[in-house]
Amino acid sequence: MDIYEALSTYFGYEEFKTGQEKLIKGSLQGRDVLGIMPTGGGKSLCYQLPAILLEGITIVISPLISLMKDQVDSLNEMGIPGTYINSTLEDEEFRKRLEAIRGGKYKIVYVAPERLNTYLFSNLIRDIEVSMVAIDEAHCISQWGHDFRPSYLEIPRFINSIGNRPAVSAYTATATKEVIGEIKELIGLRNPLESIIGFDRPNLFYKVVKASNKYAYLKEYLENNFQGESGIIYCATRKTVEALAKRLNEEGLPAVGYHGGMAGELRQENQDRFIFNGTKIIVATNAFGMGIDKPDVRFVIHYNMPKNMESYYQEAGRAGRDGEPSDCILLYSPADIVKQKLIIQNSTLSLERETNLYENLQYLVDYCHTNKCLRNAILSYFGEEPENDECNNCGNCLDKSEMVDITIEAQKILSCIYRVGQRYGTNIVVQVLRGSRNKRVLEAGLDKVSTYGIMKEYSESVLKEIVMTLVSMDYIRMTADRFPVLKLTSLSGPVLKGEIKVYHKKDLLEVKAPMKKVEKAVVDDFDEELFSLLRELRYNISRDKGLPPYVVFHDSTLKEMAAYFPQDKEAFLDIKGVGLKKYENYGEEFIGVIKDYIMEKGVDNIRPREREWIEKPTGKTNTNRYQLTYDCYNQGLSLQEIADERNFTTGTIIKHLERCESDGQTVQWSRFIDDPMKESKILEAIARVGLEKLRPIKEELPEDISYDDIKLVILNNGLK
Ligand code: ADP
């Protein structure tokens, strides 16, 4: 079997993601490889696929034992024999597995690093042929990384203990130079074939929100975005997690909490509820998430600022692993910076390390204050050269709010920093500018400097915001100390002389609901009703088998089914994410639901699957598609006429028009509602059963009222 055959047969994919093929071929040639790929880049497949084709057994070292079962379940679902060894196993089960591994029953064995050099495992290794050792989350070996695990230092000894040194492959999503250097050195990779994939995650929408009331913002966000879909809310402390989860629940937004101080059982239960889609929102400290494979997380909101850019990228990156548009929102408040500084302050680290932590923190602070493209800020941090000045998919690029000239304000601040001798931090400088009678200011005689009180009319928070913005623009330098001091830079002079003008967004501290303008990475013209039926089936299967729903099929796979209505083996296998084993296990059931649906609804305009179009969707194709529909609308055609013209269902046409409307075009929905009596019946039904799902509304109404009718009334009355 060649690699393409394996890709299609086991994983149900037709093409490799960027970087996968190179690494897989390297591993198959027996080379060491180092794969640096962003979350969602498809690292696991890079070692799972060669594992199938290589002669012996592949050992996968992974830090998170809670994930192993999931990964192994996924493998088995695809027909790849795998198992895991970790501390959750009872002795008896442990021995049984060792025997089965000896007997050649498995191709892939996941193992926790703590187990590697134990007596029983070392004995086992002597008796089997290890073809490859794959190290997942390889940055855990580096003390520079954010996830250092001492047990990872056991790995080199383990590799050296294997008589015939196997190929080693290491994978991580962390890419700072220090970390990469340490991974190579400490693991002892031999002339590794490297693949570093760009860090951009185009489907993620980044935004920083300076909300005066974070909770109010959060609530509004949750009520208006991605309802019924999964999301993570990260908080800095256990206390905040508890309080926030409680409040959300009290206010009708079901959420589970997760933090390191919870009883293990409860923590696991909450994690499971989130993973199995029981509760859609999890409020957590950073203890949650490492290695969480849930592909359909639609938003990650940081209620507090994390400790540095790397952590932010990692945590935010848990959104949208499936490539679908997802939000990463950071709620910023200056108090969080203070909290993080206190944490560094109270640590017992060397001065060098401490300085490094302050620098890293400052980068994230700059990220919160920049007016420029947020995506580019992230990419630059990871050493990537951004392609364009604007990405058009982040809060800053899409926020076209008016820019105001703040050169005068900047000059006053810079000259104050100069007047106080470049010896004070933000607080004192701001107090001097505001003419504060604070003891420290008076004691140091700072009320005598010429800039004392020259910005009285500005609030403290606005002044701090401007200072931070000037830092992010390099007009001020903030020393990387425990008590950062503000200094002038080589760019300060030109600003003071008026040679450089400084601009800032007008609505400095305004709260805004997030805006979205994103392209779909997967098919978006699918039948929602069929999709929900397929989801239901998936849920039942996953519950019966005790597997997370996405181990059975991803949402994106179900959406394809709901778009292309596959009714036989060939068509079903053609769906992205369906491999042979999954077809054998579930094909019949899913095809059954699809056929029943077609019969019941009389669906007759089934489209062939156009691979090109789905796998390489571009903004243009999408826009054109919507625009073509809108053009028909403009010609005054009825819904059915537009559907006939465009060769889509009327439901899809409604979705196109919805999209046009959210893009700013006018759609007069009432044009499609021919019977006012119908409309009032529908509104009454909605008043009785609510808006959460369409089905209960439909069930309240006479047969002749269709889902389309209901949707049109909802849209016409602005109910969504
Ligand atoms: P990572 O470990 O890099 O975060 P995963 O291994 O979890 O990423 O893969 C992310 C998602 O991409 C998974 O849902 C996986 O099934 C999917 N995927 C991996 N390889 C491919 C491919 N060649 N084509 C389509 N999807 C893929």
Side-chain angles (χ1 to χ4, degrees), residues 222-251:
L222 296 176
E223 285 169 352
N224 293 300
N225 294 277
F226 296 119
Q227 276 163 325
E229 308 229 37
S230 301
I232 306 174
I233 303 168
Y234 277 113
C235 303
T237 63
R238 295 169 180 185
K239 223 169 97 189
T240 319
V241 166
E242 297 278 356
L244 188 59
K246 185 163 171 270
R247 190 161 175 197
L248 288 173
N249 280 310
E250 281 167 3
E251 300 193 16

Side-chain angles (χ1 to χ4, degrees), residues 7 13 15-17 20 38-45 293 295 321 554 576:
L7 181 68
Y13 300 133
E15 283 175 13
F16 286 106
K17 288 192 172 192
Q20 284 182 329
T39 309
K43 288 183 276 296
S44 359
L45 191 138
D293 263 348
R321 290 172 84 117
H554 285 183
K576 201 166 160 186

Side-chain angles (χ1 to χ4, degrees), residues 79-99:
I80 304 167
T83 189
Y84 63 89
I85 297 285
N86 64 32
S87 55
T88 63
L89 302 178
E90 304 282 337
D91 278 358
E92 164 94 20
E93 177 62 24
F94 180 55
R95 278 169 212 281
K96 252 205 224 136
R97 288 202 188 180
L98 292 185
E99 277 324 298

Side-chain angles (χ1 to χ4, degrees), residues 262-305:
M262 274 178 170
E265 242 169 57
L266 178 63
R267 210 170 56 199
Q268 186 62 43
E269 191 186 315
N270 284 355
Q271 172 168 323
D272 286 350
R273 278 172 65 185
F274 179 67
I275 303 263
F276 282 82
N277 289 346
T279 305
K280 303 287 183 179
I281 299 171
I282 191 159
V283 184
T285 60
N286 62 1
F288 175 77
M290 160 101 169
I292 292 292
D293 263 348
K294 194 170 167 53
D296 52 3
V297 174
R298 291 281 74 88
F299 57 89
V300 172
I301 297 180
H302 278 79
Y303 202 69
N304 302 110
M305 204 173 76

Side-chain angles (χ1 to χ4, degrees), residues 1 7 100 152 167 217 220 236 262 283 310 316 342 385 425 444 450 469 475 515 527 531 622 643 691:
M1 193 184 274
L7 181 68
Y152 261 56
Y217 176 87
E220 190 191 325
M262 274 178 170
V283 184
E310 241 175 274
L342 283 174
E385 195 80 29
S450 58
T469 307
Y475 299 138
M515 304 203 317
D527 186 308
F531 176 58
N622 279 343
L691 255 182

